[in-house]
Amino acid sequence: MKRKRKGSFWAGCFLAGLAILFVGTGIFYTPYDPNQMNAALKNTAPCWTHWFGTDNFGRDILSRVMAGSRTTFLIALCTVGIGTFFGIILGAITGYFGGILDKIIMRMNDVLLAFPSLLLSLVFISIIGIGKYNSIAALGIAFIPSFVRVVRSEFVTQKEMDYVKNARIMGAGHGRIMFVHILPNTFSIVASAITIGFNNAVLAEAGMSYLGLGVQPPDASLGRMLSESQAYLFSAPWYAVAPGMVIIITVLGFSLVNEKR
C-alpha cells in the first residue's frame, strides 16, 4: 500500500512538474505570436511547423495553449492567494477566540459553503461584470469559505496544546500566539488545502472562460480555447486536444501529489 502511494506521489510530481515546466516556458517563449492570424493556415492539422496544428483563424495552437496555460495558472494562483490570505485571518480569529463572533462568522461561512465555488463565483460575476480581473476577484471570494473552515478547525485543536499555554504564561500576545506559534503548526493541512484549491481554481477558471465570463478574446485561456474548439470537434479535433490535455495533466498531477499528505 505504501509502495503504491509512493508511486502515485512521484507520478504526480512528474505530471505537475511537466505542467509547471510547460507554463514556465510559455512565460519567456512561444513559437509564434499567440494572436497572430493567418487565413491561409486555417485549421491546419499538426505538422512540423505547427506541432499542435492551427485554429479557425490560423493561429498556432501550441503558442495559444502556452499563453492560455499561463493565464489560467495566474488566475488560479491569484484565486488561491486571496482565499488563503483571508481564510487564514478569519479562520484564525474564529478558531482562536471562539464565542459569539465565531458563531456569526461560521454560520455565514456555512451558507456560502452550501454553494459550489463555481456557482458562487458566477453570482459575483453577475454583480461585478465579466473579465479576467473580475473573475479573479469573484473566484477569490468564492474560495475564502473553504479555507476559513480548514484553518478554523486547526486553530480550535492547536489552541489547547501545551506550547500555546506556555506561550500565554510567558506573556505572548494573542497576535503572536496565533500567527507565530499556532499558524506554522497548521502548515501541512493548509498546504494540502492550497493544492486542492489550486486544482479547483484551474477547473473553475476554465469553466468560467468556457462560458464566456472569464478571459475575453483575443486573449487565450484553456477554458476559452475549449469553448472555441467546440464547433470544430469533427473537422479539427486537434483544436480541443491540447488545452484539454493540459487541464487533465495539471489536475491529475496535483491530485496525486496531494494524496501523499
Side-chain angles (χ1 to χ4, degrees), residues 37-261:
M37 302 181 186
N38 188 339
L41 297 176
K42 178 180 177 181
N43 288 335
T44 299
C47 58
W48 286 111
T49 53
H50 298 281
W51 289 6
F52 289 177
T54 63
D55 63 12
N56 55 308
F57 291 105
R59 298 173 296 191
D60 182 63
I61 291 178
L62 174 58
S63 299
R64 287 188 64 77
V65 169
M66 295 174 79
S69 301
R70 180 180 63 208
T71 300
T72 297
F73 271 50
L74 178 61
I75 293 175
L77 287 173
C78 291
T79 295
V80 173
I82 293 172
T84 303
F85 179 77
F86 289 102
I88 286 175
I89 293 176
L90 292 174
I93 292 174
T94 56
Y96 181 79
F97 291 106
I100 187 65
L101 182 64
D102 175 42
K103 292 180 180 179
I104 293 174
I105 293 178
M106 293 312 298
R107 293 300 76 77
M108 295 173 59
N109 200 71
D110 290 341
V111 171
L112 294 175
L113 279 175
F115 299 91
S117 56
L118 180 57
L119 179 59
L120 192 59
S121 62
L122 291 178
V123 173
F124 292 127
I125 279 290
S126 67
I127 298 173
I128 63 180
I130 64 176
K132 178 168 63 176
Y133 297 107
N134 286 347
S135 66
I136 291 174
L139 287 170
I141 295 172
F143 273 59
I144 291 174
S146 59
F147 284 98
V148 171
R149 174 62 67 182
V150 170
V151 174
R152 176 191 176 276
S153 64
E154 284 298 298
F155 268 73
V156 168
T157 302
Q158 294 292 329
K159 72 178 183 180
E160 301 299 330
M161 296 292 183
D162 289 339
Y163 74 90
V164 176
K165 296 177 181 178
N166 291 335
R168 291 197 187 103
I169 293 173
M170 296 296 293
H174 294 308
R176 181 176 180 83
I177 292 175
M178 285 191 292
F179 299 109
V180 176
H181 294 278
I182 297 180
L183 184 59
N185 287 288
T186 68
F187 174 77
S188 61
I189 301 298
V190 173
S192 179
I194 289 174
T195 305
I196 297 172
F198 179 79
N199 266 0
N200 293 336
V202 168
L203 293 173
E205 190 287 323
M208 291 184 66
S209 292
Y210 181 86
L211 295 173
L213 302 175
V215 177
Q216 299 298 302
D219 294 335
S221 83
L222 298 179
R224 187 75 203 178
M225 292 186 68
L226 287 175
S227 177
E228 293 170 349
S229 67
Q230 189 173 3
Y232 304 93
L233 289 178
F234 296 102
S235 59
W238 54 85
Y239 195 173
V241 170
M245 286 302 299
V246 172
I247 293 175
I248 291 172
I249 289 173
T250 300
V251 173
L252 180 59
F254 282 97
S255 296
L256 291 175
V257 169
N258 190 64
E259 281 186 2
K260 182 68 175 178
R261 296 183 181 279

